[in-house]
Amino acid sequence: MKKPSFETAMAELEKIVREMETGELSLDASLKKFEDGMRLSRLCAEKLDEVQKKVTILMSGDNGSREEAFEPGSDE
């Protein structure tokens, strides 16, 4: 099974959160949604980690540029 894109996984995760917040799901359905949400959350975290590593590599090129880890939300 092909992994969904980051954007697709985030949209699905947000949908699951909205469904769970209604409080209308049975215990079994809530557990299934929680399991799905955890899987999607891990997938998103892995993709963000991959992007962070790629940005770090790109910023550390052989042309004398500086190496700096990407920090989301930082001003520099």
Side-chain angles (χ1 to χ4, degrees), residues 49-60:
D49 189 50
E50 286 176 26
V51 169
Q52 184 174 358
K53 288 176 182 172
K54 285 182 182 178
V55 169
T56 299
I57 289 169
L58 290 171
M59 293 183 73
S60 66

Side-chain angles (χ1 to χ4, degrees), residues 31-48:
L31 180 59
K32 174 72 175 115
K33 293 289 182 182
F34 181 78
E35 289 173 347
D36 292 345
M38 290 303 296
R39 178 183 51 80
L40 291 166
S41 176
R42 279 193 288 275
L43 187 143
C44 289
E46 289 172 6
K47 289 195 180 267
L48 287 173

